[in-house]
Amino acid sequence: MKQGIIIGASSGIGWELAVQLAAKGYQLGLMARRIERLEQLADSLSGEHLIQGTDLRDAEQAEQDLHALLDRMGNVELIVVNSGVGIRERKLDWVSEKQMIDVNVRGFAVMSVTAMNYFQQRGAGHLVGVSSVASHATGGLMLTYTASKAFVSNYLEGMRSRARHSGLPITVTTVEPGFVKTPMVDWDAFWMAPVDKAVAQMVKAISKQKNHVYITKRWRLAVWILELTPNWLMRKFG
């Protein structure tokens, strides 16, 4: 039986990913801060799945939590680091800034390092990291979020290089969603994708072991436009 771990499975993309991977026969390890939500999810899925509470704001404890779940499962071939925090920064508030940095940067990095070291010891594996098309943008109202997602995308590119130089069959997939209808996106936005459609494209990219995927595919055009837009113009509208 295929085994996979989803970090950040208690809602949104992570929840739907668990639904779709379980339907494909995966036994899953489900990680998030809200254990009661993980219990609800595990009970709703076919098959037997494991849960592990964790809070990525405490990177050192989160590392131990992932090791504990890996030990319980035994032979994990897929680890998806989906946890992320997005807060609109209408005013600069260090509490909010710190939370995004702790989860999106420190937490993401420690989960990715732990996953990569595990796959190197195992001899193979697949690391999936969920970034955002926001990693290609800048803006004064989302400066920490966009910067943290730029870190995620660049970090995964570096991990991909390490995997390649290891000579082992380790795949690293960067997922960059646009607007997906989840609790994190609580406003109307253009090109808003239903979560089941977005995750279906993500699962397809995972099965094909792609290096990178935009969710949904049309966001490739938006990113191309963003990368051609001069910084002074981005500052004017952001």
Side-chain angles (χ1 to χ4, degrees):
M1 177 182 291
K2 296 179 289 186
Q3 290 188 325
I5 289 176
I6 303 172
I7 303 163
S10 60
S11 66
I13 289 175
W15 181 292
E16 179 63 23
L17 181 61
V19 171
Q20 295 196 23
L21 288 180
K24 289 185 173 293
Y26 275 85
Q27 181 188 38
L28 297 171
L30 307 170
M31 300 185 71
R33 181 172 52 85
R34 295 177 291 174
I35 296 178
E36 69 282 359
R37 290 284 292 167
L38 296 181
E39 292 173 342
Q40 293 172 15
L41 174 58
D43 289 344
S44 71
L45 302 175
S46 59
E48 295 185 6
H49 307 280
L50 287 73
I51 64 172
Q52 173 70 53
T54 195
D55 188 341
L56 264 61
R57 292 174 296 185
D58 185 342
E60 288 70 28
Q61 181 59 50
E63 179 183 14
Q64 295 180 33
D65 294 337
L66 180 53
H67 277 302
L69 183 55
L70 287 165
D71 289 344
R72 290 166 62 197
M73 295 186 72
N75 187 29
V76 176
E77 64 187 68
L78 171 68
I79 298 177
V80 181
V81 188
N82 172 66
S83 295
V85 176
I87 301 171
R88 288 190 185 184
E89 300 156 86
R90 298 190 183 280
K91 65 177 182 178
L92 292 179
D93 170 34
W94 175 238
V95 174
S96 299
E97 307 285 300
K98 183 178 185 299
Q99 183 179 356
M100 284 188 281
I101 292 168
D102 286 345
V103 174
N104 298 0
V105 178
R106 295 178 70 249
F108 181 87
V110 74
M111 295 291 95
S112 299
V113 167
T114 305
M116 181 61 73
N117 286 338
Y118 172 80
F119 289 143
Q120 287 182 331
Q121 293 174 359
R122 180 176 178 270
H126 191 169
L127 169 63
V128 178
V130 180
S131 180
S132 170
V133 296
S135 65
H136 301 273
T138 58
L141 294 178
M142 295 286 283
L143 73 166
T144 306
Y145 179 75
T146 57
S148 69
K149 289 303 183 179
F151 171 88
V152 168
S153 291
N154 283 318
Y155 198 82
L156 289 169
E157 185 62 37
M159 279 293 192
R160 200 151 31 245
S161 294
R162 293 186 71 92
R164 186 161 46 247
H165 288 302
S166 74
L168 297 171
I170 299 174
T171 301
V172 178
T173 300
T174 304
V175 180
E176 293 187 337
F179 294 121
V180 179
K181 192 63 177 176
T182 67
M184 183 182 291
V185 184
D186 59 356
W187 64 91
D188 292 329
F190 70 100
W191 286 359
M192 181 78 79
V195 68
D196 57 341
K197 177 181 177 181
V199 171
Q201 290 189 13
M202 183 175 171
V203 169
K204 186 175 181 180
I206 291 172
S207 66
K208 291 186 174 182
Q209 297 190 322
K210 286 184 173 291
N211 289 335
H212 182 278
V213 61
Y214 295 110
I215 304 294
T216 57
K217 296 176 182 178
R218 67 176 71 182
W219 281 96
R220 181 188 300 272
L221 173 61
V223 168
W224 179 75
I225 293 171
L226 284 171
E227 292 181 341
L228 291 178
T229 303
N231 287 337
W232 66 266
L233 187 57
M234 292 286 289
R235 287 193 295 269
K236 183 176 180 179
F237 292 101

